[in-house]
Amino acid sequence: MMRLRIMFSHAAVVVMAVACGAGLVGLALFAPLWVWALIPLGVAAQMLNEYNLHRYVFHLSPPRAQWAFNLLYMAHYGHHDFPTNTKLFFVPIWVALPMLLVNGGLLWGALALFGVPQAGWIAVAIVPVGGVLTFLVYEWFHMTAHVNVPKTRVERYVTTLHNQHHFR
């Protein structure tokens, strides 16, 4: 219960969970059944997105411009300075929401441009459902790695890997 309270005290998690829920309801009520098979594409895309954003943006060399440094500090550097500060566990809403909108819009636009039928529902299955579910699971394991709670075997493994990231 503590972990859910921590997670849902962050705007990005709440907004993304609502987006995912709305996507699931939309798919269930209106989308063709075959679109559900595309959700794993969103899982894979989000894993690549998460890795690349973290590796190539969040761990950039500190920018010289103070405003850029401040943004990166709020987005990620601060988490490394204060790894137990729950306010710094999750990506800020001003990173998460634009990523959701840009990724969903670009995918829908590209599919529609090429005349793919059901482009909107395909984009919903891949981005706010598959991608955001993966985002939420990632954030759950990331938060769990930073709190002192009983952990499952998988959570202990992820904690070990994540500690190597922080303390190498």
Side-chain angles (χ1 to χ4, degrees):
M1 201 53 132
M2 176 189 79
R3 290 188 262 186
L4 286 174
R5 189 172 24 82
I6 292 170
M7 272 192 76
F8 284 93
S9 69
H10 290 271
V13 171
V14 172
V15 168
M16 298 303 259
V18 168
C20 184
L24 286 167
V25 168
L27 290 181
L29 295 178
F30 305 111
L33 194 56
W34 61 266
V35 170
W36 288 82
L38 301 176
I39 291 172
L41 292 176
V43 172
Q46 179 58 27
M47 292 171 105
L48 286 170
N49 190 42
E50 189 73 42
Y51 175 80
N52 286 314
L53 184 66
H54 187 261
R55 174 89 157 78
Y56 297 110
V57 176
F58 288 165
H59 282 277
L60 282 171
S61 296
R64 292 178 195 248
Q66 188 63 49
W67 67 268
F69 178 83
N70 291 347
L71 285 177
L72 274 176
Y73 194 87
M74 290 184 295
H76 192 69
Y77 290 168
H79 173 65
H80 280 272
D81 287 344
F82 303 101
T84 58
N85 182 337
T86 59
K87 294 187 183 334
L88 299 172
F89 283 175
F90 307 98
V91 70
I93 186 71
W94 48 267
V95 172
L97 190 56
M99 292 296 290
L100 170 67
L101 297 174
V102 167
N103 288 339
L106 285 175
L107 179 58
W108 170 77
L111 292 170
L113 184 67
F114 288 106
V116 174
Q118 303 293 335
W121 289 119
I122 293 170
V124 168
I126 292 173
V127 179
V129 176
V132 172
L133 274 174
T134 304
F135 167 84
L136 293 170
V137 169
Y138 172 86
E139 293 291 28
W140 173 267
F141 279 102
H142 179 249
M143 176 217 32
T144 297
H146 286 281
V147 294
N148 188 15
V149 293
K151 296 176 172 117
T152 65
R153 175 187 285 182
V154 172
E155 290 169 336
R156 285 191 306 271
Y157 178 72
V158 170
T159 298
T160 299
L161 292 177
H162 191 66
N163 282 337
Q164 291 172 1
H165 167 71
H166 270 274
F167 301 112
R168 269 194 187 162

